[in-house]
Amino acid sequence: MAGKTLVPEDFGPLQGTKIVSTGTLIAQPYSAVLAAMWGAEVIQVEKPVIGDRGWRTIGIKVDAIDGGEPVSCTWIQERRNEFQVTLDFTKPEGRNLLLKLIERADIWMESSKPGTYGNCGLTDAEAFKVNPRLVIHHVSGYGQTGIPEYRDRASYDFIGQARGGIMTQTGFPETAPTRAAPWTGDYLTAYLGLAASLAALTYARATGKGQAIDLAQYEAIHATMGGTMPEYFLKGVLRERSGNKAAAFQPYDAFEAKDGWVCVGAVGMAVFGRACKVIGLDPDDPKWQYAYDHVFDPEGIEFDAIIRGWIAERTVAEVVKAFNDAKVGCTPVMTAKDMAEDPQYQARQVHIEWDDEQVGKAKGFGVIPKFGLTPGKIWRGSARLGSDNQRIYCGLLGLSQAELARLKEANVI
């Protein structure tokens, strides 16, 4: 199905790829946005009148240039390069329009409780009937299969993090379990979802056979927990919150300097030895060698106290220079201001400006990662609700102006 798209110029490794996205918030739609920044055509479907209201207006907002409702900074950052249409697919005419969009798509991405689309006659079978090569990417809190009681439960980033197990290890022993901010569980789900969609698309293009993908949010989060489950199944070990400190080696923690915080990481005895020299300890002393991987023994505790005292007497800049000069990993804990002013961020053009349809000039992070031969780009900022209805329904699907007006009057679009 790859071929000419609505994107005004070819760019990126996904040029020619067509995606229809019907989910809300982050976990699924961000997968589509990433693809759009890499050159794919993405048609994002929202509800008529209200749209993806929560995500359009959540958090800190910027005034709209047309005097309309203020726009969320998160929406401005995360809804670029998309074509925005409104559609109520629960109505028969809306269902048929969505199937027409799906018919020309390579990937259909959606996020909902299982059965939501099936109840409207939009089953996987119906989608494959109009497009056998289609990749269908389902995102839900608990998965499409399993115990019905769980499948029907609501889930958000915070819920997924708790259920996926990551919160048992995030935070400090003396505090409540802590979520990874801002919406880490959703973003993890989005990254894995895009990877799975592109893997299935590779297969579809090679064989002509589409397939459905079933991604449960808590499973995407659970899959990032390293050796946690083998440790339990094979050794009976239950990992718990331990703060920033690594339990198996040091230094690997956040440390407070005179004017801020730094992170120092020394993995391996050679790097540990260089860290010892920076703070004035003899790396060949058996005591400190023992302290390296016996973090909670008296020797390890003493080493931690020494490095903390050394760092506390110096500025962030002094600490960062000393450790990096010694080839020991060290960085400030960066704020938004720090990142905006950092020379490496600037040299790599991480932050860029673009024109946004809703708020005018905008600035935030650009396209990541950087492709050597087919770089991504931002050709469009975020768009108003339903701003592409005319372009998609009339220009692409062939509806007349009268039909468009009638469907709008009936709240189908």
Side-chain angles (χ1 to χ4, degrees):
M1 298 287 294
K4 185 62 180 174
T5 71
L6 299 172
V7 179
E9 60 180 288
D10 290 339
F11 70 92
L14 295 183
Q15 55 189 271
T17 301
K18 306 179 186 73
I19 298 173
V20 174
S21 170
T22 59
T24 60
L25 300 177
I26 310 173
Q28 177 269 294
Y30 193 60
S31 292
V33 171
L34 289 170
M37 292 193 293
W38 301 345
E41 170 196 290
V42 172
I43 298 175
Q44 176 65 50
V45 176
E46 296 182 76
K47 293 180 179 179
V49 184
I50 61 172
D52 188 356
R53 184 170 181 81
W55 209 237
R56 277 185 175 271
T57 59
I58 196 169
I60 296 175
K61 293 174 277 291
V62 178
D63 289 338
I65 55 178
D66 63 359
E69 190 171 25
V71 186
S72 163
C73 287
T74 304
W75 185 274
I76 293 166
Q77 177 70 76
E78 295 186 355
R79 286 298 199 270
R80 299 171 295 175
N81 283 15
E82 292 185 322
F83 296 94
Q84 299 285 347
V85 301
T86 52
L87 183 63
D88 184 352
F89 55 79
T90 67
K91 298 178 179 179
E93 287 183 300
R95 169 189 175 278
N96 292 337
L97 284 174
L98 182 55
L99 283 172
K100 287 182 178 180
L101 292 175
I102 288 171
E103 184 177 1
R104 65 180 295 279
D106 297 294
I107 304 171
W108 170 30
M109 299 179 173
E110 70 87 12
S111 59
S112 65
K113 292 181 183 179
T116 299
Y117 286 83
N119 292 338
C120 305
L122 284 162
T123 62
D124 290 358
E126 286 296 313
F128 287 132
K129 188 181 297 184
V130 301
N131 186 352
R133 299 169 58 95
L134 182 69
V135 172
I136 304 175
H137 175 49
H138 295 294
V139 178
S140 61
Y142 292 82
Q144 302 295 310
T145 62
I147 300 171
E149 177 194 349
Y150 285 90
R151 294 202 313 269
D152 294 339
R153 292 180 179 179
S155 183
Y156 301 98
D157 167 83
F158 193 42
I159 304 301
Q161 288 194 41
R163 181 160 185 83
I166 197 171
M167 285 178 63
T168 63
Q169 298 176 42
T170 307
F172 292 82
E174 63 273 15
T175 64
T178 305
R179 71 180 176 96
W183 315 103
T184 303
D186 278 342
Y187 292 118
L188 288 173
T189 306
Y191 289 131
L192 183 57
L194 179 57
S197 294
L198 296 181
L201 179 60
T202 300
Y203 182 81
R205 287 177 171 169
T207 66
K209 298 178 181 179
Q211 63 183 296
I213 299 165
D214 176 5
L215 178 59
Q217 182 185 48
Y218 80 92
E219 293 172 352
I221 296 165
H222 186 66
T224 67
M225 295 182 66
T228 297
M229 296 315 296
E231 289 169 2
Y232 172 72
F233 286 127
L234 304 179
K235 301 289 290 184
V237 173
L238 285 173
R239 285 199 194 185
E240 297 179 352
R241 298 188 302 284
S242 59
N244 298 312
K245 181 184 289 295
F249 53 88
Q250 66 173 330
Y252 199 86
D253 205 344
F255 302 87
E256 190 171 9
K258 276 184 177 180
D259 55 348
W261 289 81
V262 299
C263 285
V264 181
V267 182
M269 282 299 298
V271 186
F272 174 75
R274 295 197 291 269
C276 285
K277 289 182 179 179
V278 169
I279 63 175
L281 299 179
D282 179 4
D284 296 323
D285 187 329
K287 175 181 179 179
W288 304 129
Q289 291 180 354
Y290 181 85
Y292 166 68
D293 55 0
H294 292 78
V295 177
F296 300 108
D297 286 357
E299 294 85 349
I301 293 171
E302 183 178 355
F303 175 86
D304 181 76
I306 291 171
I307 191 171
R308 287 187 185 280
W310 188 92
I311 291 173
E313 294 173 351
R314 291 162 175 80
T315 65
V316 167
E318 291 169 337
V319 174
V320 169
K321 184 177 188 309
F323 280 110
N324 280 287
D325 284 352
K327 301 189 184 307
V328 176
C330 180
T331 184
V333 176
M334 308 283 275
T335 66
K337 181 176 185 295
D338 295 331
M339 291 180 283
E341 298 174 354
D342 183 78
Q344 180 68 355
Y345 273 87
Q346 293 175 354
R348 288 181 57 79
Q349 298 179 316
V350 174
H351 302 130
I352 64 171
E353 287 188 341
W354 65 88
D355 292 319
D356 188 273
E357 180 180 304
Q358 301 181 96
V359 302
K361 283 291 183 185
K363 187 172 184 178
F365 64 76
V367 181
I368 302 168
K370 301 182 184 302
F371 294 91
L373 294 178
T374 55
K377 66 179 296 184
I378 303 301
W379 64 270
R380 185 189 200 189
S382 71
R384 298 178 181 89
L385 179 65
S387 63
D388 295 299
N389 283 353
Q390 170 95 18
R391 185 200 313 254
I392 301 301
Y393 295 131
C394 296
L396 183 64
L397 299 187
L399 272 61
S400 67
Q401 293 294 332
E403 287 175 304
L404 191 70
R406 181 182 63 79
L407 292 171
K408 183 175 182 180
E409 180 69 21
N411 286 325
V412 174
I413 63 172

